[in-house]
């Protein structure tokens, strides 16, 4: 099965409480672009992620709001701001570091939620049934790329009726892959 | 065969002419650290790589001087400074972009020589004979790394009596691999 590759640049998901602190009570975010995963979107609004060493400015806010605030950055970013971030699956935030988030109306210090996203495939339940993949398994993905072809191990497959088939890598992985638009990978279970 | 993995941060190799322009005529560079490849060293001296969009400051100068000036940066760097750089083997500089190099005593605009280094293995002739590897062949290397294990294809093997066994990746590849010191890869011919 060929899986379209998408690059996730650094971004944050906000909770209601953090959104209120950064943008003002019940601020209504403006949708800039629908993402490949149904119901998910990038907003025009941006925030800063402030670390002890440096700040990541104008970081994209994704919607809709979530129950827990989560910021996804690259290892390059984590070295820049001076916070050592673990590689985690989305939502697996226990024991992760926090940071200061700065919006146009205020700041909020989260005590956890800063992660480097583990590479993963979003897969619709029907696709998973077809190839016998279960939610949470690890797979490999082979990618032909000019001068930097490789096979990723450690690719988590996440299965849901709300997902559309796509593999997500971060910007470090994209640069290390010589990523070009429309690249796809061959899933190997 | 297990191959020690080393990360090459951005650096430059200077020709006599460029060294003269940046540091003054016949400047004597100061050795900071011997590198794993015999006779190669990092200098205390640093220069800036100036692009149309931004500048990479304090870039390491490696010695000894070479016949051709070459600057090796990452794709992350190339996006930052606004110069699109091809992935090339060291020394393969035809058709590569130039940039301005800035030293303490002056600037020099190179018309080519800016590359993203293609990942490669330095191998001594004896090791190559032992495993039947020839200079210039492509191999694969399997690497176990916490959360980011992978198999690199497109790894060039370079063989010489002057080489010591080591695989070189750049900082994008290191971050995308969750690189840790003392990591090694399994060479697969």
């Amino acid at each position: 099965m060929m899986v379209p590759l998408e690059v996730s640049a650094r971004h944050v998901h906000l909770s209601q409480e953090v959104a209120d602190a950064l943008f003002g009570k019940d601020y209504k975010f403006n949708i800039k672009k629908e993402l490949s995963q149904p119901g998910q979107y990038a907003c025009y609004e941006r925030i800063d992620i402030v670390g002890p060493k440096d700040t990541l400015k104008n970081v994209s806010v994704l919607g809709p709001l979530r129950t827990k605030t989560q910021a996804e950055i690259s290892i390059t970013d984590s070295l820049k701001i001076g916070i050592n971030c673990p590689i985690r699956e989305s939502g697996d935030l226990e024991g992760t570091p926090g940071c200061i988030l700065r919006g146009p109306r205020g700041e909020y210090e989260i005590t956890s939620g800063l992660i480097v996203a583990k590479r993963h495939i979003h897969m619709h339940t029907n696709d998973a049934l077809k190839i016998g993949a279960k939610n949470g398994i690890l797979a490999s993905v082979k990618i032909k790329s000019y001068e930097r072809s490789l096979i990723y191990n450690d690719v988590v497959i996440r299965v849901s009726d709300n997902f559309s088939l796509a593999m997500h890598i971060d910007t470090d992985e994209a640069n290390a892959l010589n990523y070009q638009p429309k690249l796809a990978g061959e899933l190997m279970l």
Side-chain angles (χ1 to χ4, degrees), chain A residues 34-175:
Chain A
E34 304 282 344
L35 302 177
S36 69
Q37 298 310 309
Q40 303 293 305
Y41 52 86
C43 303
Y44 279 102
E45 289 78 4
R46 286 168 180 266
I47 66 164
D48 294 346
I49 296 177
V50 182
K53 219 173 114 187
D54 207 341
T55 294
L56 302 169
K57 288 183 174 293
N58 299 317
V59 176
S60 188
V61 175
L62 302 195
L65 296 178
R66 293 195 177 180
T67 51
K68 285 193 284 187
T69 293
Q70 171 176 312
E72 299 177 40
I73 66 175
S74 69
I75 291 181
T76 297
D77 293 335
S78 81
L79 293 168
K80 180 177 153 82
I81 64 173
I83 302 177
N84 187 20
C85 287
I87 298 168
R88 290 289 183 90
E89 287 188 57
S90 182
D92 176 16
L93 304 181
E94 205 180 306
T96 59
C99 64
I100 294 167
L101 303 179
R102 182 185 293 149
R105 296 285 295 274
E107 290 186 352
Y108 191 107
E109 182 163 4
I110 55 173
T111 55
S112 67
L114 195 57
I115 65 169
V116 174
K118 180 165 177 166
R119 56 183 171 241
H120 56 274
I121 291 173
H122 292 272
M123 188 179 283
H124 189 274
T125 313
N126 292 343
D127 288 329
L129 280 170
K130 222 180 291 173
I131 61 168
K134 285 202 162 43
N135 185 53
I137 64 166
L138 291 177
S140 295
V141 175
K142 185 182 174 69
I143 300 167
K144 292 284 264 183
S145 153
Y146 184 68
E147 301 288 19
R148 290 191 156 176
S149 295
L150 50 70
I151 298 168
Y152 286 128
N153 307 127
D154 282 332
V155 182
V156 191
I157 299 184
R158 291 163 50 196
V159 179
S160 162
D161 285 345
N162 296 320
F163 286 162
S164 152
L165 188 67
M167 176 167 172
H168 286 179
I169 57 176
D170 74 6
T171 46
D172 283 339
E173 292 172 312
N175 289 333

